[in-house]
Amino acid sequence: MNHKLSTYGVSIVDRPKIKATKKLDLSGEQGKQIVFSETKLALRTHKKTFQKLADM
């Protein structure tokens, strides 16, 4: 693997380990924006599914 990386001139860099947190604060203006953008994405992604559910 190191041979392939050195062929392209890429050097290996140590990155700090960042622990993932499972806490998500949806209160306040930023939380409102997160909910709004995720809802918009879901509606756009599954447009036909929601249309079929609306017509049932």
Side-chain angles (χ1 to χ4, degrees), residues 6-50:
S6 62
T7 302
Y8 295 107
V10 177
S11 60
I12 298 173
V13 178
D14 288 333
R15 301 281 185 213
K17 300 293 182 194
I18 300 173
K19 285 257 188 190
T21 59
K22 293 184 181 183
K23 295 180 183 178
L24 183 62
D25 185 20
L26 296 177
S27 63
E29 192 61 34
Q30 286 182 335
K32 187 177 179 180
Q33 182 63 34
I34 290 170
V35 171
F36 181 75
S37 62
E38 290 297 322
T39 304
K40 200 164 123 180
L41 177 65
L43 289 172
R44 187 175 54 225
T45 304
H46 305 288
K47 188 174 185 176
K48 291 181 181 179
T49 303
F50 284 110

